[in-house]
Amino acid sequence: MQVKAILCEKVSKKGNAYTCVEVYITNNIKKLVFLTDAEKELLKLSNK
């Protein structure tokens, strides 16, 4: 199975910045996955 996933940097309603992955289960349904600091660093390393 393949799904579309996008790494996003967003701002909460309170004004705090955060990073998450938007996983698109279908065209209309998406799941936000919040990352730990270690997971963010792993993604940065894998993109170099």
Side-chain angles (χ1 to χ4, degrees):
M1 173 192 285
Q2 292 184 350
V3 294
K4 180 180 173 184
I6 301 172
L7 182 64
C8 298
E9 293 182 4
K10 297 186 174 196
V11 178
S12 70
K13 292 177 184 177
K14 293 183 178 182
N16 299 321
Y18 65 93
T19 304
C20 67
V21 176
E22 288 183 345
V23 179
Y24 288 84
I25 299 165
T26 66
N27 289 337
N28 299 324
I29 305 295
K30 68 179 173 183
K31 167 75 175 149
L32 294 180
V33 179
F34 297 95
L35 304 174
T36 64
D37 290 337
E39 291 167 332
K40 291 179 208 175
E41 288 300 316
L42 286 169
L43 284 173
K44 288 179 187 176
L45 290 172
S46 69
N47 286 326
K48 289 184 178 180

